[in-house]
Amino acid sequence: MISVLVPVCDPDGRFFRELIESVLAQTYGNWELILADAGMTQEAKEIALSYSDPRIRYHRLEKNGGISENTNAAAAFAQGDYVAFLDHDDLLTPDALFEAAGEIVRTGAEILYTDEDKCDASGARFFEPNRKPDFNLDYFQANNYICHFLLMKRELFLALGLRSAYDGAQDYDLMLRAPKSEIAHIGRVLYHWRTHSRSTAGNPGSKDYAYEAGKAALEDHFRECRIQAQVTHSRHRGFYDVTYLPDIFTARKDVGVLGGKLINGRRRIVGGLYDEEGNALFLGMHEQESGPMHRADTMQDAAAVDVRCMQIRPELYSLYESVFGVSYDTHVMQSGAGLKELSVIFCRSARSLGYRVVWDPRIVRMIR
């Protein structure tokens, strides 16, 4: 059973009714909808109680403790195996819980997230689909791309809880503290984030405090992990640049390879970041372009990076020499046949040894 948690605080009546009906329209029926109301008016209560479905469970909270405390209160009422988080003015697609339940059965994952898009105030026009990657630690440590639709095993959520100190970025703080071993990504748009004047989706500047809270949560995460890192706001709202002190290999023992952008004389990307098959990502883009969800301008884990713009940790020097035929101490690769293919082989071997390959777009090298 999936418990859908909705902290409620004086929502627009039409939006709130449409939210409830989007849950009632689910093709998967083993759910409960927990409505934890901390609002000042009676409208949300009247709307909730107008539905006779016993799976809709309305609870009036004694006080408005903020988004984290209110969500924790909702979770305390939950009886499901998993909890799912839904904002009081957003919508689920009819197959959202069906897809989630199927993924749970297939994988047993403790945490799941889906793709999402935005809808207008009418709830009829959908745009800006966010096609997310599978869990990518370094991209996540630069931006809370997971966001909606998030589900978590109930016992795990009750153990972690949300922390009021990070209201506005409470879900980011939650996921930064959560175990990263059993996270499943459902690559389908199952959540509609409604845009209107009061929403972050419609007016990102309306909640600048959320981005400050996210920065604070990320800084706290690094402190807890004893990782020396400086976090600053990037040029993209809600994204962060992480600088490791004194370098990434010293600060993080999990990182084995670091790479960057290869650009040509016209400042166009010609390589640097590759997928498993050796295809270059962001090929032909100007180096200042950021791409969808700013992925061309954000640090992230990679399948492979290019040897012509690569740094490695000392433990991989012998592997480097065996793949490229030269010692790492003398490596200044300018050109040569098969360098991209060898780069992919080297990075795949490094990952097989348990090391992470990281791409940092702030590292740029021009090639002829």
Side-chain angles (χ1 to χ4, degrees):
M1 185 168 74
I2 298 173
S3 300
V4 181
L5 308 182
V6 183
V8 180
C9 189
D10 299 325
D12 177 286
R14 179 173 65 85
F15 296 166
F16 186 52
R17 189 176 291 278
E18 290 177 358
L19 172 146
I20 294 173
E21 291 176 0
S22 81
V23 178
L24 285 169
Q26 293 300 302
T27 59
Y28 179 81
N30 193 10
W31 55 261
E32 61 176 358
L33 176 61
I34 307 295
L35 304 172
D37 186 5
M40 299 290 290
T41 71
Q42 295 295 309
E43 183 180 17
K45 178 179 180 180
E46 292 170 358
I47 292 172
L49 296 182
S50 70
Y51 293 91
S52 59
D53 194 307
R55 296 172 296 178
I56 300 174
R57 298 175 182 168
Y58 173 87
H59 299 274
R60 178 71 188 180
L61 302 183
E62 293 184 1
K63 65 183 181 70
N64 182 3
I67 184 65
S68 294
E69 190 173 318
N70 296 350
T71 305
N72 290 339
F77 297 117
Q79 300 175 21
D81 303 290
Y82 284 73
V83 294
F85 306 95
L86 178 59
D87 290 348
H88 68 195
D89 49 5
D90 294 341
L91 302 169
L92 296 180
T93 66
D95 56 344
L97 299 185
F98 172 82
E99 292 291 340
E103 190 70 13
I104 291 168
V105 170
R106 283 190 295 273
T107 68
E110 292 187 321
I111 300 170
L112 306 94
Y113 67 96
T114 78
D115 294 349
E116 63 188 277
D117 66 8
K118 295 178 181 177
C119 66
D120 62 6
S122 73
R125 186 174 73 87
F126 306 98
F127 56 98
E128 291 186 22
N130 183 357
R131 304 290 184 181
K132 305 172 186 178
D134 290 344
F135 185 70
N136 187 306
L137 177 64
D138 282 272
Y139 185 55
F140 181 66
Q141 290 179 165
N143 166 253
N144 180 21
Y145 75 89
I146 288 178
C147 202
H148 306 303
F149 182 40
L150 175 63
L151 302 94
M152 183 176 288
K153 207 163 191 176
R154 182 169 61 93
E155 290 87 348
L156 177 59
F157 178 75
L158 292 176
L160 294 172
L162 298 178
R163 302 194 291 185
S164 296
Y166 303 103
D167 274 3
Q170 70 284 342
D171 53 344
Y172 193 30
D173 172 63
L174 172 69
M175 284 299 298
L176 285 167
R177 292 181 288 119
K180 309 299 192 294
S181 57
E182 295 188 37
I183 301 178
H185 167 223
I186 302 172
R188 297 189 61 187
V189 171
L190 302 177
Y191 190 105
H192 303 307
W193 193 9
R194 196 190 298 263
T195 63
H196 55 88
S197 60
R198 293 171 57 189
S199 71
T200 306
N203 180 16
S206 67
K207 292 188 178 179
D208 281 341
Y209 75 91
Y211 307 129
E212 293 296 335
K215 178 175 178 288
L218 188 55
E219 290 170 335
D220 182 69
H221 166 71
F222 286 129
R223 279 193 300 270
E224 288 292 316
C225 295
R226 298 184 179 179
I227 294 174
Q228 296 184 53
Q230 180 182 19
V231 180
T232 56
H233 293 285
S234 86
R235 66 190 180 107
H236 309 293
R237 190 185 297 273
F239 284 71
Y240 308 103
D241 288 328
V242 179
T243 303
Y244 294 96
L245 311 173
D247 62 68
I248 194 170
F249 301 120
T250 302
R252 288 179 54 188
K253 302 305 182 186
D254 61 318
V255 177
V257 184
L258 179 68
K261 288 179 181 176
L262 293 178
I263 61 171
N264 62 17
R266 298 176 55 244
R267 317 301 294 187
R268 299 286 175 177
I269 296 173
V270 295
L273 174 63
Y274 305 115
D275 64 17
E276 290 281 2
E277 287 72 42
N279 300 305
L281 280 66
F282 317 127
L283 191 65
M285 291 175 54
H286 190 275
E287 66 168 327
Q288 291 299 314
E289 289 184 74
S290 64
M293 293 304 297
H294 307 305
R295 290 191 64 190
D297 200 30
T298 304
M299 185 181 286
Q300 59 199 267
D301 295 341
V305 295
D306 198 288
V307 67
R308 289 165 288 182
C309 191
M310 178 190 288
Q311 302 168 39
I312 67 174
R313 67 184 314 114
E315 291 88 337
L316 294 177
Y317 285 1
S318 60
L319 175 63
Y320 182 96
E321 185 169 354
S322 69
V323 172
F324 294 104
V326 296
S327 70
Y328 181 74
D329 293 336
T330 61
H331 104 286
V332 181
M333 297 283 191
Q334 296 287 350
S335 61
L339 284 185
K340 183 181 75 170
E341 291 75 13
L342 290 175
S343 298
V344 172
I345 292 170
F346 172 76
C347 291
R348 185 181 297 133
S349 299
R351 289 189 290 115
S352 73
L353 293 173
Y355 290 108
R356 196 179 300 275
V357 178
V358 175
W359 183 74
D360 186 345
R362 295 171 295 183
I363 302 171
V364 178
R365 182 173 182 186
M366 183 180 293
I367 62 172
R368 302 298 179 186

